[in-house]
Amino acid sequence: MELRAELVETPPVLLMQPTTLCNLDCSYCYLPERKVSRRMSPEVARAAADGVRGWSRRHPVTVVWHGGEPLAVGPAYFRSLVEPFSPGEEYPVTHAVQTNAALIDEAWCELFATVPVRVAVSVDGPGEANAARVDWAGQPTLDRVISGIETLRRAGIPFNVIAVVADTSPGAATALYRFACELGCDGLGVNLAEKKGVFEGVPESYGDATAFWQELAACWQADPCIRVRELDHAYTYIREELAGAGTRRADRPVVPLPMVTWDGDYLPLGAELAGFRSPQHGPFTAGNVLQTPLATLAAHAHEVPWVAEALAGVANCRRTCSYFTYCRGGQPANKYFETGRLDATETTFCHTSKINLLEGILRHAEHQHP
């Protein structure tokens, strides 16, 4: 029996790129146009909103505004992009934004509270852990980020933190977790630093990533003051396996994170491929919302050659990887940037951020219950 992977008909999340511009120059950033100020037009936002309303009649949809730096467009312009999505009783739509927080002031807090918009802040940890996040003059930005976070807290705006972690040495997970708890965030997401944006083969190896995840699991279990995204995902998987639901989990359609770029291009999956071109497939897009309705683009995405190749990669993972039920086929961008193909299987990301994560949790459990 041939294994095939399918996309869900109506994704629960849509990423929107309000601008390519970023006010920071993080050394690990892969975005190809972050020096250029290209803004999404209200026409693109309206076209995307028409499609999202259709999706939301089936289930709630979250629209995530994700850079460049979304706040670089200013509060008034950002509001003009959000307004077409104004939810009604018949279509529940919520908004979220991923920001470096350096531009947050009272005007932004007023917008976050009234739209409303859930906030996630990119910050990598205390002191030197945040050294990669500098501005275009090469100056540190942590003080500005902390100031933005303090403004959120004074306004009573809840927020999550997403950290890019390059240091997995002993003590790093503890320092990051304590830092996040002290910031007062609701949750922490952890992305291990990777090479992206160019095909350069497998990135440099980490230290003991398993030990990092074990330490993070131990910190959380000792003091579960905030949620940890990666641990949530892993423990959910473990519970489903223990309940005998693993096969059903493996059979589910792929739930991607599609993106509409600043100019209206639609990426059904692999949002990190936005702005890049493949020698074989050309630009990574499945059409444009200004020319074709979002619902049509989503319904026919599997017919686009590069998307079909990525779905073949998911099927390949299911056929060859014992961790497929948990990972669900990896990330297309990681596969492309490491191998030059979308139908590849295991990547460094799979190993360090999925396999090592489960191994770390199990190692922690063994130490707790020898």
Side-chain angles (χ1 to χ4, degrees):
M1 176 180 173
E2 182 184 2
L3 292 176
R4 299 185 62 181
E6 298 180 350
L7 292 171
V8 296
E9 262 186 65
T10 55
V13 175
L14 177 67
L15 303 180
M16 296 283 287
Q17 183 188 39
T19 181
T20 57
L21 181 67
C22 188
N23 55 320
L24 302 191
D25 184 27
C26 302
S27 61
Y28 51 68
C29 186
Y30 59 91
L31 295 175
E33 298 177 315
R34 66 185 188 274
K35 290 185 179 181
V36 184
S37 180
R38 295 192 172 102
R39 297 196 304 182
M40 176 177 285
S41 69
E43 289 75 21
V44 168
R46 285 194 291 269
D50 288 343
V52 166
R53 279 193 289 273
W55 293 353
S56 66
R57 290 187 179 97
R58 299 190 182 189
H59 51 70
V61 178
T62 298
V63 176
V64 180
W65 301 89
H66 195 293
E69 168 51 47
L71 274 55
V73 300
Y77 197 85
F78 186 86
R79 189 181 290 274
S80 75
L81 298 179
V82 170
E83 283 175 347
F85 294 88
S86 297
E89 292 182 2
E90 74 279 15
Y91 46 91
V93 178
T94 56
H95 291 274
V97 65
Q98 184 68 44
T99 174
N100 58 47
L103 300 175
I104 290 177
D105 58 15
E106 286 74 14
W108 276 111
C109 288
E110 190 273 336
L111 186 150
F112 296 151
T114 56
V115 170
V117 180
R118 299 200 308 268
V119 179
V121 174
S122 298
V123 58
D124 295 344
E128 284 302 307
N130 213 56
R133 303 186 63 80
V134 298
D135 62 21
W136 289 100
Q139 297 302 305
T141 62
L142 183 57
D143 288 348
R144 280 170 273 176
V145 173
I146 297 299
S147 176
I149 288 173
E150 290 174 347
T151 304
L152 289 173
R153 293 177 64 177
R154 286 195 300 272
I157 306 293
F159 64 97
N160 291 324
V161 162
I162 295 181
V164 175
V165 172
D167 178 13
T168 57
S169 63
T174 300
L176 174 62
Y177 186 75
R178 289 176 178 169
F179 173 77
C181 291
E182 291 168 2
L183 285 180
C185 64
D186 290 343
L188 169 66
V190 179
N191 298 328
L192 297 188
E194 308 164 72
K195 286 183 180 178
K196 290 181 182 174
V198 289
F199 170 45
E200 293 184 350
V202 178
E204 295 176 4
S205 60
Y206 293 96
D208 190 348
T210 300
F212 174 86
W213 294 117
Q214 178 187 358
E215 184 181 323
L216 188 60
C219 288
W220 179 79
Q221 291 214 342
D223 181 21
C225 62
I226 59 174
R227 299 181 64 178
V228 179
R229 181 186 62 188
E230 285 67 31
L231 299 182
D232 279 355
H233 291 172
Y235 286 129
T236 296
Y237 159 69
I238 292 170
R239 285 192 293 270
E240 290 186 1
E241 281 287 1
L242 293 175
T247 300
R248 291 198 301 274
R249 179 184 173 98
D251 288 339
R252 294 172 192 162
V254 175
V255 181
L257 283 174
M259 169 177 268
V260 174
T261 60
W262 70 275
D263 56 355
D265 280 350
Y266 178 66
L267 283 75
L269 42 68
E272 292 164 321
L273 296 168
F276 292 98
R277 298 176 61 90
S278 158
Q280 178 182 358
H281 299 298
F284 290 105
T285 176
N288 191 287
V289 297
L290 293 177
Q291 300 164 1
T292 308
L294 179 64
T296 303
L297 294 175
H300 294 277
H302 62 282
E303 301 169 7
V304 177
W306 72 267
V307 178
E309 184 179 305
L311 292 175
V314 175
N316 290 340
C317 286
R318 182 170 185 178
R319 185 169 55 252
T320 61
C321 183
S322 59
Y323 289 88
F324 174 80
T325 306
Y326 170 51
C327 183
R328 300 299 314 284
Q331 300 297 325
N334 294 91
K335 293 182 179 184
Y336 180 74
F337 292 137
E338 287 191 27
T339 72
R341 297 192 58 84
L342 294 160
D343 56 1
T345 53
E346 184 177 322
T347 63
T348 299
F349 170 81
C350 296
H351 198 77
T352 59
S353 297
K354 296 293 184 178
I355 297 172
N356 288 164
L357 170 56
L358 282 182
E359 291 172 344
I361 287 175
L362 293 175
R363 189 187 290 177
H364 170 65
E366 289 171 356
H367 285 193
Q368 291 291 101
H369 307 284

